[in-house]
Amino acid sequence: MVRYALAQINVTVGDLENNAARILAAHAEALKTSPDLVIFPELTLAGYPPEDLLLKPGFFKACDDVFGELLPQVRGRALIGRPVRDASGNRYNAAVLVEEGQVLATYYKNLLPNYSVFDEERYFTPGTDGLNLKLGAHTVGVVVCEDAWEVYGPARCECALGANVIACLSASPFHRGKSVTREETFRNTIITPGGSWFLYCNLVGGQDELVFDGGSLVMNPHGEVVARAKEFDEDLLVFDLSDDAVSGCQAPAASKATRTVPVVEISLKTEEKLVVAEKTEKKLSSTAEVYEALVLGLGDYVRKNGFSGVIIGLSGGIDSALTAAIAVDALGEDNVLGVTMPSRYSSDDTRSDAQILAENLGVRFEELPIESPYGAFSDMLAPLFAGVEGDPENLTDQNLQARIRAVYLMALSNKYGYLVINTSNKSESAAGYG
């Protein structure tokens, strides 16, 4: 039997020292279960996506320095994602096998995605070789994210040359329905006569406009998910895989591409392990996963960009109510300020609904009437508006109110160090109104 631990953690792009601390903390937690191999997500040390940081030679030196400090502290055995630059200046997206403070092997990501939010061809050189790790009866093929998305790609190639387990380090961002797409893709990759086991460790957390949903999993050779980590939260997924379970795996049809796949022999300890309960987290519904993505994305954006809280203009309507609920779930009620900014056009219900919402959520609530600045603007503009037709719905006055409110919110943002949260709906955002 081999015990695998998938360490699904939340890191920050460029925050190397704190990322290293997160790696060590998660690894220490995993060591309590006596794993034979701990697997971390893609580019764990640097965060994903590091983008133009990779064009700075100083960034690679910093990565090397921090990794050099981390390395002797790693007990046991782990696969850690990090960027690597060789002597010729080629940059690689790498999975590094570490054992007792030593680097045993390094795998370079073969397939570099260059579509949608991905731009890896700009930054990395593709690897050309595979990597299989021999752990007793288990032969573990190492791949990085996109390498498992092409049916006849690197993962299939490693299986064809003996791997009965695939370990995939990933940073796969969320969109609605993405988890279903992933699982269908992985089934296409691993299901063959006999098949292979698939261990998928995904990044979790928000990074600018991207959200990584975690959901690391273990899939058996029949394409069934037999263990799953939490979605949208850090987690440690420990899974015991018996020798009998991998003995029936058969080599699939070879990959279309020819790759060299070196094999690294690893000695396993025969120590008795404490029993670890297997777990499979319940899959979130489509609506729940969207809500959790919003909560995680907002919370991490605020924290990782150094804001101390958020400000929300509360109108008493649905848009600001939902936004406020997300903010409280993301940051806690003490870090949310709700502001109502009534005018001569505001109804009593608008004011009272905003206050009731704030009280229900437990957030600080302030009222800043805009009648005075509205009157001042109207007086200043009156000479230019005199005799001008063409605004039957009085959009000028409505938009003037909205812009005054924006000035209030931004002033509070500057003074308090809070981030202003957009309460525009989709139509308003699409028209540039938010």
Side-chain angles (χ1 to χ4, degrees):
M1 182 195 79
V2 175
R3 175 167 291 175
Y4 299 94
L6 281 58
Q8 175 179 293
I9 63 174
N10 186 342
V11 295
T12 302
V13 167
D15 193 0
L16 303 178
E17 292 187 357
N18 282 328
N19 293 348
R22 283 296 315 123
I23 291 170
L24 289 173
H27 189 68
E29 189 65 26
L31 287 182
K32 296 176 182 178
T33 69
S34 302
D36 295 298
L37 180 64
V38 182
I39 304 168
F40 285 91
E42 177 181 10
L43 290 181
T44 327
L45 182 65
Y48 193 96
E51 296 185 318
D52 282 7
L53 286 174
L54 296 164
L55 303 180
K56 300 178 181 294
F59 181 67
F60 276 91
K61 182 181 184 306
C63 285
D64 290 341
D65 291 345
V66 172
F67 191 73
E69 295 171 1
L70 177 152
L71 192 57
Q73 301 179 68
V74 177
R75 304 270 63 87
R77 190 177 301 110
L79 278 167
I80 300 173
R82 60 155 300 190
V84 170
R85 185 180 58 177
D86 67 15
S88 300
N90 296 311
R91 300 181 296 265
Y92 297 97
N93 183 337
V96 182
L97 177 64
V98 175
E99 183 179 67
E100 298 296 340
Q102 301 293 322
V103 173
L104 294 189
T106 301
Y107 171 85
Y108 296 145
K109 186 175 183 179
N110 285 201
L111 302 183
L112 304 179
N114 218 58
Y115 55 86
S116 183
V117 301
F118 303 106
D119 196 17
E120 290 196 28
E121 290 182 6
R122 170 179 168 84
Y123 302 108
F124 293 116
T125 299
T128 56
D129 296 341
L131 177 63
N132 280 353
L133 312 178
K134 188 70 174 174
L135 288 83
H138 297 226
T139 302
V140 181
V142 178
V143 296
V144 177
C145 205
E146 191 76 9
D147 294 334
W149 284 72
E150 183 179 298
V151 174
Y152 289 98
R156 181 68 65 91
C157 177
E158 292 175 350
C159 289
L161 294 176
N164 45 33
V165 178
I166 293 294
C168 180
L169 293 72
S170 182
S172 178
F174 168 82
H175 63 67
R176 191 171 189 174
K178 182 68 169 289
S179 61
V180 175
T181 302
R182 285 195 201 109
E183 291 179 22
E184 290 176 350
T185 301
F186 299 155
R187 289 186 187 98
N188 290 334
T189 300
I190 70 169
I191 293 179
T192 62
S196 61
W197 287 81
F198 190 79
L199 312 178
Y200 171 74
C201 186
N202 192 29
L203 194 65
V204 68
Q207 185 61 49
D208 295 332
E209 77 279 15
L210 300 179
V211 176
F212 299 92
D213 54 322
S216 301
L217 57 82
V218 177
M219 185 176 283
N220 69 19
H222 305 292
E224 300 163 338
V225 176
V226 295
R228 189 194 309 275
K230 296 176 182 177
E231 296 172 275
F232 305 101
D233 199 1
E234 291 189 314
D235 201 7
L236 180 68
L237 182 62
V238 179
F239 188 78
D240 291 338
L241 188 52
S242 70
D243 293 348
D244 289 342
V246 301
S247 63
C249 296
Q250 300 175 21
S255 167
K256 293 178 181 177
T258 301
R259 290 176 176 83
T260 301
V261 183
V263 178
V264 176
E265 295 277 351
I266 296 174
S267 299
L268 292 177
K269 295 180 181 179
T270 57
E271 61 182 355
E272 193 75 22
K273 291 182 171 66
L274 294 174
V275 175
V276 177
E278 293 185 5
K279 71 171 183 178
T280 300
E281 295 289 338
K282 184 178 179 181
K283 188 77 185 67
L284 295 176
S285 69
S286 177
T287 301
E289 70 176 12
V290 170
Y291 187 84
E292 292 301 326
L294 292 169
V295 169
L296 178 59
L298 173 61
D300 272 1
Y301 189 92
V302 171
R303 288 183 288 266
K304 293 179 180 181
N305 285 285
F307 291 97
S308 55
V310 297
I311 296 175
I312 303 173
L314 299 180
S315 67
I318 293 174
D319 298 336
S320 64
L322 176 58
T323 302
I326 291 169
V328 169
D329 281 347
L331 300 162
E333 60 188 43
D334 292 339
N335 298 308
V336 179
L337 170 59
V339 184
T340 185
M341 294 164 283
S343 74
R344 67 183 68 178
Y345 300 107
S346 301
S347 68
D348 291 339
D349 285 344
T350 292
R351 301 184 191 200
S352 62
D353 286 352
Q355 183 171 358
I356 292 169
L357 171 68
E359 291 172 351
N360 287 342
L361 293 175
V363 304
R364 177 183 169 188
F365 179 70
E366 300 290 348
E367 180 172 314
L368 288 175
I370 66 168
E371 183 60 34
S372 177
Y374 174 78
F377 275 111
S378 296
D379 291 344
M380 293 172 63
L381 291 167
L384 294 176
F385 288 173
V388 178
E389 303 295 333
D391 188 11
E393 297 181 5
N394 207 19
L395 292 177
T396 301
D397 282 355
Q398 295 180 46
N399 287 335
L400 183 57
Q401 292 179 88
R403 290 170 183 134
I404 292 169
R405 291 180 176 120
V407 171
Y408 273 19
L409 292 174
M410 289 308 303
L412 291 168
S413 170
N414 293 153
K415 182 61 70 173
Y416 288 116
Y418 283 9
L419 180 70
V420 177
I421 301 302
N422 182 13
T423 57
S424 298
N425 60 36
K426 196 171 183 179
S427 298
E428 290 167 337
S429 295
Y433 190 70

